[in-house]
Amino acid sequence: MPPLSPSDIKNMKNTQKIVAISLSTAPLAHLADPLVDIILVGDSLAMTLFNLSSTQCIDVPTMTRHGKAVALAASHALVIIDMPFKSYDSPQIALENAQHFLENTKAHAVKVEGGTEMTETIKILVSHDIPVCAHIGLLPQSIPPGQKFTPTGHSQKQKNQLLNDAIAVENAGAFAVVLEAIVEPLAKEISQTLSIPTIGIGASPQCDGQVIVAEDILGFSTKDTPRFVKQYAQIHAHISHAFSQYAKEVRNLSFPEPKHCYYEPKKKETS
Ligand code: KIV
């Protein structure tokens, strides 16, 4: 079976909910791939993997390496790769970097942050057969290191702007749009207005799908998570337990055991 395509994802609108997950390593991609529709190689790896304070710190080589690892591990889900900060400052720069990503990672599509200001970029990518997922609402790449993430869509001005952004990215040719941290009634209205699917994160159950960062729902860290995260596991407890057992057994000489070691083959007796 070929992997899901952008058209398959578009056709899921109004028929079934789209399940997307943001992750950036091959082991997690192997586990998620048969269970989800979209794997996003998100630049949130800045925080989840590299302990940085902003997605502004991530570059094209880093996204290429992770995109390649994830795309190689996936065979069912549509793989989307985030265009990192500064890699789509003009339509021409965007085209060069998006072509680089699709050729070098085997991901199927790219994601760019921004609304009306992104229409020329989306159009040029789509005209070169590069499927684009848009991303509006809270735009992490616009938030400098150390600044807090806050939801948007409260004022009438923000509402009008976000609705215009959503319509603009659809008209430019995006096959889907992520709605991040947008107040619920507006996320619902956008989902009902557009004919492409909306993928919510901190938005609304009425979005056509949901996306979340894998490390957040797995509970990799003991740090506070945003309101929109539900933790389905506390994997950090299992990892700490395993590390502490390993350290204890090395120190008390119970690991490694003979079965973990290699020995010389027994010599045959010669008469
Ligand atoms: O980088 C990321 O993981 C994302 C999702 C949170 C939408 O952009």
Side-chain angles (χ1 to χ4, degrees):
M1 281 272 279
L4 294 174
S5 67
S7 319
D8 295 327
I9 299 295
K10 267 172 110 169
N11 291 337
M12 287 165 81
K13 188 169 174 107
N14 300 324
T15 58
Q16 65 185 96
K17 288 285 181 191
I18 299 162
V19 182
I21 192 145
S22 172
L23 54 80
S24 46
T25 61
L28 290 183
H30 272 299
L31 294 171
D33 180 57
L35 306 172
V36 303
D37 306 307
I38 296 176
I39 295 180
L40 168 68
V41 186
D43 59 0
S44 56
L45 61 80
M47 290 80 141
T48 55
L49 287 193
F50 294 107
N51 203 22
L52 300 168
S53 58
S54 164
T55 57
Q56 288 185 358
C57 311
I58 290 300
D59 57 12
V60 170
T62 305
M63 291 308 291
T64 308
R65 237 169 274 126
H66 286 273
K68 201 169 173 176
V70 168
L72 275 175
S75 58
H76 160 75
L78 177 83
V79 178
I80 304 178
I81 185 161
D82 250 342
M83 301 277 293
F85 187 59
K86 294 270 170 222
S87 72
Y88 51 107
D89 275 359
S90 73
Q92 197 51 42
I93 294 176
L95 180 59
E96 280 162 27
N97 284 316
Q99 282 172 331
H100 162 87
F101 280 134
L102 297 204
E103 278 161 24
N104 290 282
T105 71
K106 307 292 177 217
H108 310 111
V110 297
K111 176 163 81 60
V112 294
E113 293 184 8
T116 43
E117 73 281 16
M118 272 303 128
T119 53
E120 284 317 304
T121 298
I122 296 173
K123 277 184 195 162
I124 195 166
L125 296 182
V126 172
S127 73
H128 284 79
D129 293 327
I130 298 173
V132 180
C133 177
H135 181 154
I136 65 169
L138 188 151
L139 305 179
Q141 288 176 14
S142 310
I143 301 174
Q147 216 163 292
K148 266 187 90 174
F149 288 13
T150 45
T152 180
H154 296 283
S155 69
Q156 194 54 48
K157 192 172 164 216
Q158 286 174 342
K159 282 186 184 138
N160 295 343
Q161 180 62 55
L162 286 165
L163 205 48
N164 286 342
D165 283 340
I167 294 167
V169 296
E170 166 162 346
N171 289 343
F175 72 89
V177 55
V178 169
L179 307 184
E180 179 161 358
I182 293 180
V183 292
E184 200 281 331
L186 178 61
K188 178 178 170 187
E189 187 183 341
I190 293 173
S191 302
Q192 288 169 345
T193 306
L194 296 190
S195 60
I196 56 170
T198 58
I199 316 286
I201 174 162
S204 166
Q206 303 295 327
C207 288
D208 302 297
Q210 300 294 326
V211 62
I212 202 90
V213 176
E215 283 81 355
D216 285 345
I217 61 166
L218 293 174
F220 257 90
S221 144
T222 49
K223 286 186 199 153
D224 284 348
T225 51
R227 174 190 168 94
F228 54 73
V229 171
K230 177 173 177 182
Q231 280 197 341
Y232 290 86
Q234 272 85 41
I235 212 74
H236 66 86
H238 297 278
I239 296 174
S240 289
H241 177 71
F243 287 166
S244 110
Q245 281 300 108
Y246 165 67
K248 190 169 120 195
E249 292 190 8
V250 169
R251 289 182 184 123
N252 71 15
L253 306 185
S254 52
F255 176 83
E257 297 168 49
K259 66 182 176 191
H260 303 121
C261 300
Y262 297 98
Y263 296 94
E264 293 283 341
K266 279 202 182 101
K267 285 204 180 100
K268 276 200 183 130
E269 301 267 324
T270 47
S271 50

